């Protein structure tokens, strides 16, 4: 049970766009890739993340909670990549001091 970043990106895109096909367009993937990623994520987590009974999928209560955590995780992943890029480019961390009388 180790969700991949790609699965989490598919979850966020589907939740934000309101459909798996729109999520696929946003991610530049096929609809079947997004559907499979979300289905596998649901299997891995043992949770139904979307209610598919209506025309468009809607996050379940569990899906809403996982969506929140996935957002945080992906933001941290982007931050990690940015820091790694800065370090690889030789950019040092910045320290700012403010002194007040």
């Amino acid at each position: 049970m180790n969700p991949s970043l790609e699965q989490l990106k598919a979850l966020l895109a589907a939740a934000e766009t309101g459909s798996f096909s729109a999520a696929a367009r946003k991610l530049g993937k096929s609809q079947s890739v997004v559907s499979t990623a979300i289905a596998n994520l649901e299997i891995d987590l043992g949770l139904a993340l979307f209610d598919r009974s209506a025309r468009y999928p809607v996050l379940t209560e569990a899906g809403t909670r996982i969506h929140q955590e996935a957002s945080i995780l992906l933001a941290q992943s982007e931050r990690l990549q940015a820091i790694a890029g800065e370090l690889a480019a030789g950019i040092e961390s910045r320290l700012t001091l403010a002194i007040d009388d």
Side-chain angles (χ1 to χ4, degrees), residues 3-13 15-16 41 45 49 59 62-78:
S4 72
L5 294 178
E6 292 304 314
Q7 288 174 320
L8 298 178
K9 287 177 185 178
L11 168 68
L12 293 183
E16 291 166 7
L41 179 60
L45 297 176
L49 301 176
L59 284 173
T64 299
R65 181 73 173 115
I66 296 299
H67 178 275
Q68 292 168 346
E69 295 300 320
S71 296
I72 294 167
L73 189 88
L74 287 173
Q76 290 173 329
S77 173
E78 290 172 8

Side-chain angles (χ1 to χ4, degrees), residues 4-70:
S4 72
L5 294 178
E6 292 304 314
Q7 288 174 320
L8 298 178
K9 287 177 185 178
L11 168 68
L12 293 183
E16 291 166 7
T17 61
S19 76
F20 294 166
S21 58
R25 285 190 298 276
K26 179 178 180 177
L27 297 172
K29 310 243 182 223
S30 69
Q31 187 268 331
S32 63
V33 169
V34 170
S35 293
T36 300
I38 292 171
N40 287 336
L41 179 60
E42 289 177 320
I43 291 167
D44 290 346
L45 297 176
L47 298 168
L49 301 176
F50 286 95
D51 176 1
R52 295 171 175 83
S53 62
R55 176 165 165 75
Y56 295 105
V58 177
L59 284 173
T60 62
E61 187 175 326
T64 299
R65 181 73 173 115
I66 296 299
H67 178 275
Q68 292 168 346
E69 295 300 320

